[in-house]
Amino acid sequence: MSIQRLFTEHPASVDETYGEHFVMATGFGLRMILGGFACLIHGILPFLFVRTGSLQIATLHERMVTKRNRKQLPAVLDFVI
């Protein structure tokens, strides 16, 4: 398998270029990390970030499953306190 194919085979399978896939995957990862931190804080201080975890999961699901074929950049992270 060629080096180029390693970087392009999966993005092509989801109808994205390498660059598009990089932006989407990085946006998903960042949203998951920050959402995870919000959940950890919520565990300690239950009055903060009450809906943030479920909102992040719903947003990621919609982007990955519902709107997969639409080319869109990740939105600004929307955290609810």
Side-chain angles (χ1 to χ4, degrees):
M1 180 176 282
S2 74
I3 296 294
Q4 181 178 0
R5 189 170 170 200
L6 289 172
F7 286 91
T8 59
E9 186 173 20
H10 171 65
S13 74
V14 292
D15 194 31
E16 293 174 346
T17 65
Y18 173 80
E20 290 168 334
H21 190 269
F22 175 83
V23 169
M24 290 300 291
T26 302
F28 272 64
L30 183 59
R31 186 175 285 273
M32 287 191 288
I33 290 167
L34 294 176
F37 281 130
C39 287
L40 290 171
I41 293 168
H42 173 71
I44 297 165
L45 305 169
F47 51 88
L48 293 178
F49 304 112
V50 176
R51 295 188 57 235
T52 302
S54 59
L55 178 63
Q56 300 315 309
I57 291 167
T59 299
L60 291 171
H61 179 268
E62 183 170 337
R63 287 209 184 117
M64 183 176 281
V65 177
T66 307
K67 296 181 180 176
R68 185 58 167 160
N69 292 326
R70 291 185 189 170
K71 306 279 184 179
Q72 61 182 357
L73 295 176
V76 175
L77 298 178
D78 45 320
F79 284 80
V80 178
I81 295 178

